[in-house]
Amino acid sequence: MTTDSTPAPTQARGGAAPDRYLRDLALLRRVRDRIDREYDRPLNVEALARGVHMSAGHLSRQFRRAYGESPYSYLMTRRIERAMALLRRGDLSVTEVCFAVGCSSLGTFSSRFTELVGVPPSVYRRQAHGVEGMPPCVAKRVTRPVRNREASAASAQ
């Protein structure tokens, strides 16, 4: 008998571990879809976790493992992407955009926007005329928020 006699999860429980993994992935997809759909509503990790009958800690760990970022970070990215589109339109103030995308604090919104986009929302709104006439699907791709770690990796290459 070898020292490594621990059976693989599929052997130990007759396939239960892969089944649980697939079930968790399906639940995580539901959470991500809910964030995409309800980004403008008050959402927090606890409420998202309750919706799929997980603890907030378990949801956060599994979401990060599956998607590479926390549920909160994913939510804020969706909000900032939508805010960018609203700011490009130009008919709303920064404060109105902040509340329209579900943020309750202008300071947090501005800080996060600046972190992801590289310029404050007011500057972005003034500079948004550079994408006028561009199809929305192209503008969204070209102006997609880039996280600091993604920007660092791209500049290193």
Side-chain angles (χ1 to χ4, degrees):
M1 185 170 162
T2 64
T3 56
D4 187 24
S5 61
T6 308
T10 54
Q11 295 169 339
R13 296 185 213 140
D19 290 345
R20 179 173 174 92
Y21 174 74
L22 292 175
R23 185 182 63 83
D24 280 356
L25 280 179
L27 293 174
L28 294 173
R29 179 57 190 248
R30 284 180 43 201
V31 169
R32 196 176 77 170
D33 289 347
R34 181 176 176 196
I35 291 171
D36 289 342
R37 217 178 27 254
E38 300 177 16
Y39 68 87
D40 58 342
R41 297 186 188 146
L43 291 175
N44 58 44
V45 176
E46 289 79 19
L48 294 168
R50 270 193 312 273
V52 293
H53 309 291
M54 287 184 183
S55 71
H58 183 68
L59 172 65
S60 291
R61 283 187 302 276
Q62 295 301 94
F63 196 95
R64 182 179 297 275
R65 189 173 292 139
Y67 298 113
E69 61 185 323
S70 70
Y72 177 76
S73 180
Y74 184 82
L75 170 63
M76 287 306 293
T77 301
R78 294 290 79 71
R79 287 178 172 172
I80 298 304
E81 285 176 346
R82 182 64 182 140
M84 291 170 72
L86 293 173
L87 290 169
R88 281 194 303 271
R89 257 185 20 197
D91 60 337
L92 297 174
S93 70
V94 171
T95 303
E96 290 169 323
V97 168
C98 168
F99 295 121
V101 299
C103 293
S104 56
S105 164
L106 183 59
T108 301
F109 169 75
S110 294
S111 297
R112 189 67 175 187
F113 190 99
T114 303
E115 177 187 327
L116 291 175
V117 179
V119 295
S122 56
V123 172
Y124 183 84
R125 185 173 184 264
R126 279 195 305 271
Q127 296 173 345
H129 68 278
V131 296
E132 285 178 19
M134 189 180 296
C137 59
V138 175
K140 182 178 178 183
R141 177 73 178 145
V142 169
T143 61
R144 182 180 178 273
V146 176
R147 301 190 170 293
N148 290 336
R149 60 182 156 78
E150 292 172 354
S152 300
S155 64
Q157 294 173 353

